[in-house]
Amino acid sequence: MAKTILVVDDVAFVRKTLRDILTQAHYQVVGEASDGAEAVELFNKLRPDLVTMDIVMPNVSGIEATRRILKQDKSARVVIISAMGQENLVMEAINVGARDYILKPFSANDVLKCVERGLLDEAASISRGSLQSREPKLG
Amino acid sequence: MSFDLSLALPERFPFFHLGEVALELDSRQGLADDDAAAEDRARIAFRLLGELEGWLVIAVDAAVDLSMYSELGNILASQLANRLHRDQGREIMISPPEPLDPERWESLLASLPEEDRAPVRRRYLHAHDGRVVPVDTWIFARDRKGVGHA
Protein backbone atom coordinates (compact mmCIF):
# COMPACT_ATOMS: atom_id res chain seq x y z
CA MET A 1 0.00 0.00 0.00
CA ALA A 2 1.40 3.38 -1.00
CA LYS A 3 2.62 5.63 1.78
CA THR A 4 0.49 8.75 2.17
CA ILE A 5 1.88 12.25 2.24
CA LEU A 6 0.51 15.68 3.13
CA VAL A 7 2.28 18.49 1.26
CA VAL A 8 2.47 21.88 2.98
CA ASP A 9 3.73 25.03 1.25
CA ASP A 10 2.19 28.46 0.73
CA VAL A 11 3.23 28.57 -2.94
CA ALA A 12 1.09 26.57 -5.38
CA PHE A 13 4.03 26.00 -7.75
CA VAL A 14 5.99 24.24 -4.99
CA ARG A 15 3.02 22.10 -3.94
CA LYS A 16 2.51 21.03 -7.55
CA THR A 17 6.22 20.30 -8.02
CA LEU A 18 6.30 18.16 -4.90
CA ARG A 19 3.07 16.43 -5.81
CA ASP A 20 4.43 15.53 -9.24
CA ILE A 21 7.70 14.18 -7.81
CA LEU A 22 5.97 12.15 -5.12
CA THR A 23 3.22 10.79 -7.34
CA GLN A 24 5.70 9.69 -9.95
CA ALA A 25 7.55 7.80 -7.21
CA HIS A 26 4.30 6.04 -6.28
CA TYR A 27 3.56 7.90 -3.09
CA GLN A 28 -0.02 8.99 -2.54
CA VAL A 29 -0.42 12.72 -1.93
CA VAL A 30 -3.59 12.79 0.14
CA GLY A 31 -3.74 16.52 0.75
CA GLU A 32 -2.18 19.93 0.35
CA ALA A 33 -2.11 22.82 2.82
CA SER A 34 -1.04 26.42 2.19
CA ASP A 35 -0.33 27.48 5.75
CA GLY A 36 0.53 25.98 9.12
CA ALA A 37 -2.97 26.18 10.55
CA GLU A 38 -4.41 24.31 7.59
CA ALA A 39 -1.55 21.80 7.87
CA VAL A 40 -2.51 20.91 11.46
CA GLU A 41 -6.18 20.65 10.52
CA LEU A 42 -5.49 18.38 7.56
CA PHE A 43 -3.03 16.27 9.50
CA ASN A 44 -5.73 15.53 12.07
CA LYS A 45 -8.24 14.71 9.37
CA LEU A 46 -6.03 12.66 7.04
CA ARG A 47 -3.38 11.15 9.34
CA PRO A 48 -0.78 10.84 6.57
CA ASP A 49 2.33 8.71 6.91
CA LEU A 50 4.47 11.81 6.36
CA VAL A 51 4.16 15.58 6.13
CA THR A 52 6.45 17.77 4.00
CA MET A 53 6.52 21.19 5.62
CA ASP A 54 7.73 24.60 4.48
CA ILE A 55 8.81 27.05 7.16
CA VAL A 56 7.90 30.56 5.99
CA MET A 57 4.13 30.64 5.58
CA PRO A 58 1.30 32.99 6.50
CA ASN A 59 -0.73 32.58 9.70
CA VAL A 60 1.17 29.76 11.38
CA SER A 61 4.81 28.98 10.49
CA GLY A 62 5.97 25.53 9.54
CA ILE A 63 7.98 25.12 12.73
CA GLU A 64 4.99 25.99 14.89
CA ALA A 65 2.77 23.68 12.83
CA THR A 66 5.31 20.88 13.30
CA ARG A 67 5.30 21.50 17.04
CA ARG A 68 1.48 21.34 17.18
CA ILE A 69 1.28 18.19 15.06
CA LEU A 70 3.85 16.37 17.16
CA LYS A 71 2.21 17.52 20.36
CA GLN A 72 -0.98 15.82 19.20
CA ASP A 73 0.71 12.75 17.76
CA LYS A 74 4.22 11.90 18.88
CA SER A 75 4.53 9.33 16.09
CA ALA A 76 3.87 11.87 13.35
CA ARG A 77 6.60 12.17 10.73
CA VAL A 78 7.41 15.63 9.45
CA VAL A 79 10.25 16.67 7.15
CA ILE A 80 11.11 20.29 6.48
CA ILE A 81 11.54 21.56 2.90
CA SER A 82 12.53 25.22 3.00
CA ALA A 83 14.71 27.83 1.31
CA MET A 84 15.75 29.14 4.75
CA GLY A 85 18.84 27.25 5.80
CA GLN A 86 20.13 29.11 8.82
CA GLU A 87 21.54 26.81 11.49
CA ASN A 88 19.29 28.18 14.21
CA LEU A 89 16.22 27.28 12.12
CA VAL A 90 17.50 23.79 11.45
CA MET A 91 18.13 23.32 15.17
CA GLU A 92 14.69 24.62 16.00
CA ALA A 93 13.15 22.19 13.52
CA ILE A 94 15.07 19.32 15.08
CA ASN A 95 14.09 20.40 18.56
CA VAL A 96 10.39 20.38 17.71
CA GLY A 97 10.74 16.93 16.22
CA ALA A 98 11.23 17.22 12.46
CA ARG A 99 12.88 14.11 11.08
CA ASP A 100 14.80 15.69 8.22
CA TYR A 101 15.44 19.02 6.53
CA ILE A 102 16.32 19.82 2.92
CA LEU A 103 16.82 23.13 1.20
CA LYS A 104 15.16 24.63 -1.84
CA PRO A 105 15.70 24.64 -4.73
CA PHE A 106 15.56 20.85 -4.57
CA SER A 107 15.95 18.10 -7.13
CA ALA A 108 13.52 15.20 -7.36
CA ASN A 109 16.26 12.97 -5.97
CA ASP A 110 16.73 15.28 -2.96
CA VAL A 111 13.02 15.11 -2.17
CA LEU A 112 12.74 11.36 -2.51
CA LYS A 113 15.77 10.70 -0.31
CA CYS A 114 14.39 13.10 2.29
CA VAL A 115 11.03 11.36 2.25
CA GLU A 116 12.70 7.95 2.56
CA ARG A 117 14.66 9.17 5.58
CA GLY A 118 11.53 10.66 7.06
CA LEU A 119 9.67 7.38 6.76
CA LEU A 120 12.30 5.35 8.55
CA ASP A 121 11.06 3.74 11.72
CA GLU A 122 13.70 5.48 13.74
CA ALA A 123 14.07 9.26 13.68
CA ALA A 124 16.73 10.44 11.26
CA SER A 125 19.76 12.18 12.66
CA ILE A 126 20.09 15.64 11.13
CA SER A 127 23.68 16.58 11.71
CA ARG A 128 25.20 19.78 10.44
CA GLY A 129 27.37 17.77 8.13
CA SER A 130 24.47 15.86 6.67
CA LEU A 131 22.53 19.10 6.11
CA GLN A 132 25.48 20.65 4.26
CA SER A 133 25.66 17.62 2.00
CA ARG A 134 22.01 18.21 1.11
CA GLU A 135 22.33 21.90 0.34
CA PRO A 136 21.88 22.84 -3.28
CA LYS A 137 25.05 24.14 -4.92
CA LEU A 138 24.71 27.87 -5.30
CA GLY A 139 27.07 30.28 -7.01
CA MET B 1 24.59 50.66 5.09
CA SER B 2 28.08 49.82 6.29
CA PHE B 3 28.50 46.88 3.92
CA ASP B 4 27.69 46.05 0.30
CA LEU B 5 24.39 44.23 0.46
CA SER B 6 24.58 43.20 -3.18
CA LEU B 7 27.52 40.92 -2.37
CA ALA B 8 25.14 38.71 -0.40
CA LEU B 9 23.03 38.00 -3.48
CA PRO B 10 23.76 34.68 -5.22
CA GLU B 11 25.34 34.90 -8.67
CA ARG B 12 23.51 31.90 -10.06
CA PHE B 13 21.41 28.96 -8.93
CA PRO B 14 19.46 26.08 -10.46
CA PHE B 15 15.72 26.60 -10.32
CA PHE B 16 14.29 23.17 -9.59
CA HIS B 17 13.85 21.32 -12.90
CA LEU B 18 13.34 24.62 -14.72
CA GLY B 19 16.75 25.74 -15.86
CA GLU B 20 18.99 28.21 -14.13
CA VAL B 21 18.85 31.73 -12.76
CA ALA B 22 21.90 33.96 -13.17
CA LEU B 23 22.77 37.53 -12.33
CA GLU B 24 23.03 39.67 -15.44
CA LEU B 25 26.60 40.95 -15.32
CA ASP B 26 25.77 44.44 -16.57
CA SER B 27 23.27 44.87 -13.77
CA ARG B 28 26.06 44.95 -11.21
CA GLN B 29 26.13 48.66 -11.96
CA GLY B 30 22.44 48.92 -11.11
CA LEU B 31 19.44 48.81 -13.38
CA ALA B 32 19.45 51.68 -15.83
CA ASP B 33 15.75 52.35 -15.52
CA ASP B 34 13.41 51.72 -12.67
CA ASP B 35 10.52 50.20 -14.53
CA ALA B 36 8.93 48.47 -11.58
CA ALA B 37 5.91 50.74 -11.84
CA ALA B 38 5.12 49.66 -15.42
CA GLU B 39 1.61 48.30 -15.84
CA ASP B 40 2.76 45.12 -17.60
CA ARG B 41 4.99 44.14 -14.68
CA ALA B 42 3.99 42.08 -11.69
CA ARG B 43 5.73 42.87 -8.42
CA ILE B 44 6.18 40.46 -5.53
CA ALA B 45 7.58 41.63 -2.20
CA PHE B 46 9.28 39.88 0.70
CA ARG B 47 9.69 41.69 3.98
CA LEU B 48 13.10 41.42 5.61
CA LEU B 49 12.92 41.20 9.40
CA GLY B 50 15.50 41.24 12.13
CA GLU B 51 19.07 42.56 11.92
CA LEU B 52 18.32 43.80 8.41
CA GLU B 53 14.92 45.40 7.95
CA GLY B 54 13.24 46.34 4.73
CA TRP B 55 12.00 44.71 1.56
CA LEU B 56 13.20 42.59 -1.31
CA VAL B 57 10.96 43.17 -4.32
CA ILE B 58 11.05 41.37 -7.65
CA ALA B 59 9.37 42.49 -10.86
CA VAL B 60 8.58 40.17 -13.77
CA ASP B 61 6.45 40.22 -16.88
CA ALA B 62 2.84 40.02 -15.68
CA ALA B 63 2.13 37.23 -18.19
CA VAL B 64 4.41 34.65 -16.56
CA ASP B 65 3.42 32.02 -13.98
CA LEU B 66 3.41 34.27 -10.90
CA SER B 67 3.33 31.35 -8.48
CA MET B 68 6.57 30.06 -9.98
CA TYR B 69 8.22 33.46 -9.76
CA SER B 70 6.94 33.95 -6.23
CA GLU B 71 9.02 30.92 -5.35
CA LEU B 72 12.00 32.26 -7.26
CA GLY B 73 11.73 35.45 -5.21
CA ASN B 74 11.42 33.37 -2.05
CA ILE B 75 14.67 31.59 -2.89
CA LEU B 76 16.44 34.89 -3.62
CA ALA B 77 15.27 36.47 -0.37
CA SER B 78 16.12 33.32 1.59
CA GLN B 79 19.58 33.16 0.01
CA LEU B 80 20.19 36.76 0.99
CA ALA B 81 19.21 35.96 4.59
CA ASN B 82 21.18 32.71 4.63
CA ARG B 83 24.35 34.35 3.32
CA LEU B 84 24.17 37.29 5.70
CA HIS B 85 23.73 34.82 8.54
CA ARG B 86 26.64 32.68 7.38
CA ASP B 87 29.02 35.54 6.61
CA GLN B 88 28.06 38.14 9.22
CA GLY B 89 26.13 36.24 11.85
CA ARG B 90 22.99 38.28 11.14
CA GLU B 91 19.63 36.96 12.28
CA ILE B 92 17.17 37.68 9.48
CA MET B 93 13.80 36.21 8.64
CA ILE B 94 11.71 36.82 5.57
CA SER B 95 7.97 37.02 5.08
CA PRO B 96 5.86 34.96 2.68
CA PRO B 97 5.47 36.57 -0.77
CA GLU B 98 3.14 39.57 -1.04
CA PRO B 99 1.87 40.63 -4.46
CA LEU B 100 2.14 44.39 -4.96
CA ASP B 101 -0.23 46.18 -7.30
CA PRO B 102 0.95 49.60 -8.55
CA GLU B 103 -0.86 51.35 -5.72
CA ARG B 104 0.77 49.20 -3.06
CA TRP B 105 4.16 49.62 -4.76
CA GLU B 106 3.83 53.39 -4.53
CA SER B 107 2.62 53.07 -0.97
CA LEU B 108 5.63 50.91 -0.07
CA LEU B 109 8.03 53.45 -1.60
CA ALA B 110 6.31 56.32 0.21
CA SER B 111 6.55 54.46 3.52
CA LEU B 112 10.32 54.17 3.34
CA PRO B 113 12.50 56.64 5.22
CA GLU B 114 14.34 58.95 2.83
CA GLU B 115 17.67 57.29 3.54
CA ASP B 116 16.26 53.85 2.58
CA ARG B 117 14.87 54.89 -0.82
CA ALA B 118 18.04 54.20 -2.78
CA PRO B 119 17.77 50.47 -3.30
CA VAL B 120 20.22 47.84 -4.39
CA ARG B 121 19.04 46.93 -7.89
CA ARG B 122 20.02 43.88 -9.85
CA ARG B 123 18.62 41.94 -12.76
CA TYR B 124 18.52 38.15 -12.82
CA LEU B 125 17.87 36.13 -15.97
CA HIS B 126 15.91 32.89 -15.72
CA ALA B 127 16.85 30.69 -18.66
CA HIS B 128 14.65 27.70 -19.38
CA ASP B 129 13.33 25.87 -22.39
CA GLY B 130 14.77 28.32 -24.90
CA ARG B 131 13.31 31.33 -23.14
CA VAL B 132 14.91 33.98 -20.92
CA VAL B 133 12.81 35.81 -18.34
CA PRO B 134 14.28 38.91 -16.68
CA VAL B 135 13.67 39.14 -12.94
CA ASP B 136 14.40 42.64 -11.69
CA THR B 137 15.28 42.80 -8.02
CA TRP B 138 15.24 45.69 -5.61
CA ILE B 139 16.39 45.59 -2.01
CA PHE B 140 15.41 48.43 0.30
CA ALA B 141 17.00 47.70 3.64
CA ARG B 142 18.35 49.22 6.80
CA ASP B 143 21.10 47.75 8.94
CA ARG B 144 19.71 46.87 12.35
CA LYS B 145 22.58 44.77 13.67
CA GLY B 146 23.18 45.55 17.30
CA VAL B 147 19.79 47.22 17.66
CA GLY B 148 17.30 45.47 19.93
CA HIS B 149 14.54 43.78 18.03
CA ALA B 150 11.75 41.25 18.73
Side-chain angles (χ1 to χ4, degrees):
Chain A
M1 194 170 180
K3 295 292 186 183
T4 59
I5 299 181
L6 171 64
V7 170
V8 184
D9 198 290
D10 60 321
V11 176
F13 162 76
V14 177
R15 295 196 303 273
K16 181 182 183 305
T17 302
L18 286 169
R19 177 184 276 274
D20 289 347
I21 291 170
L22 295 167
T23 302
Q24 200 159 30
H26 308 297
Y27 291 102
Q28 185 183 359
V29 176
V30 293
E32 297 181 16
S34 59
D35 66 44
E38 192 181 4
V40 177
E41 187 182 323
L42 283 179
F43 176 83
N44 286 331
K45 183 177 170 186
L46 301 170
R47 295 291 168 157
D49 293 308
L50 183 94
V51 180
T52 69
M53 185 78 78
D54 187 16
I55 288 185
V56 176
M57 293 188 288
N59 300 327
V60 176
S61 75
I63 289 183
E64 177 59 25
T66 300
R67 192 195 321 270
R68 292 182 190 180
I69 285 170
L70 282 156
K71 188 176 178 184
Q72 291 176 9
D73 181 353
K74 288 185 172 48
S75 67
R77 293 167 176 168
V78 180
V79 296
I80 304 292
I81 301 181
S82 173
M84 293 294 283
Q86 296 167 35
E87 197 170 309
N88 58 317
L89 286 175
V90 177
M91 291 309 302
E92 197 176 353
I94 296 170
N95 288 339
V96 301
R99 288 178 168 242
D100 206 61
Y101 194 127
I102 64 167
L103 294 179
K104 299 172 180 175
F106 47 71
S107 67
N109 199 42
D110 292 338
V111 171
L112 295 175
K113 286 189 175 176
C114 176
V115 166
E116 285 168 22
R117 288 190 295 264
L119 287 169
L120 290 173
D121 284 337
E122 64 280 0
S125 169
I126 314 173
S127 67
R128 183 179 181 189
S130 68
L131 176 65
Q132 284 179 335
S133 71
R134 293 169 210 161
E135 288 178 0
K137 299 295 183 283
L138 297 166
Chain B
M1 192 79 63
S2 58
F3 62 97
D4 186 350
L5 192 56
S6 67
L7 295 178
L9 289 169
E11 292 204 356
R12 63 178 59 245
F13 55 92
F15 187 56
F16 300 97
H17 54 292
L18 299 170
E20 187 177 72
V21 180
L23 199 56
E24 184 179 60
L25 291 179
D26 288 348
S27 78
R28 289 182 200 279
Q29 304 306 319
L31 294 172
D33 297 301
D34 182 347
D35 64 347
E39 290 294 323
D40 59 347
R41 306 281 276 165
R43 287 151 298 275
I44 304 163
F46 300 83
R47 192 181 290 265
L48 305 171
L49 302 155
E51 290 182 323
L52 189 75
E53 282 190 359
W55 296 87
L56 182 147
V57 180
I58 66 168
V60 291
D61 185 324
V64 301
D65 178 344
L66 293 180
S67 178
M68 181 193 303
Y69 285 92
S70 288
E71 185 59 22
L72 192 152
N74 176 51
I75 290 169
L76 266 177
S78 296
Q79 275 308 305
L80 179 73
N82 292 344
R83 284 173 172 232
L84 288 170
H85 180 76
R86 182 193 67 195
D87 297 341
Q88 300 183 7
R90 290 174 183 268
E91 301 289 342
I92 301 169
M93 280 298 290
I94 67 168
S95 74
E98 299 180 28
L100 293 182
D101 58 28
E103 195 177 319
R104 283 199 64 200
W105 168 246
E106 293 300 326
S107 174
L108 185 154
L109 291 176
S111 72
L112 295 170
E114 195 65 46
E115 59 269 30
D116 292 347
R117 290 187 190 174
V120 169
R121 298 175 184 169
R122 292 293 183 270
R123 171 169 286 172
Y124 282 88
L125 300 175
H126 173 215
H128 170 64
D129 206 21
R131 192 180 167 203
V132 177
V133 175
V135 180
D136 293 335
T137 306
W138 287 260
I139 306 173
F140 305 88
R142 175 183 286 197
D143 189 352
R144 300 286 290 174
K145 191 170 175 65
V147 177
H149 60 274

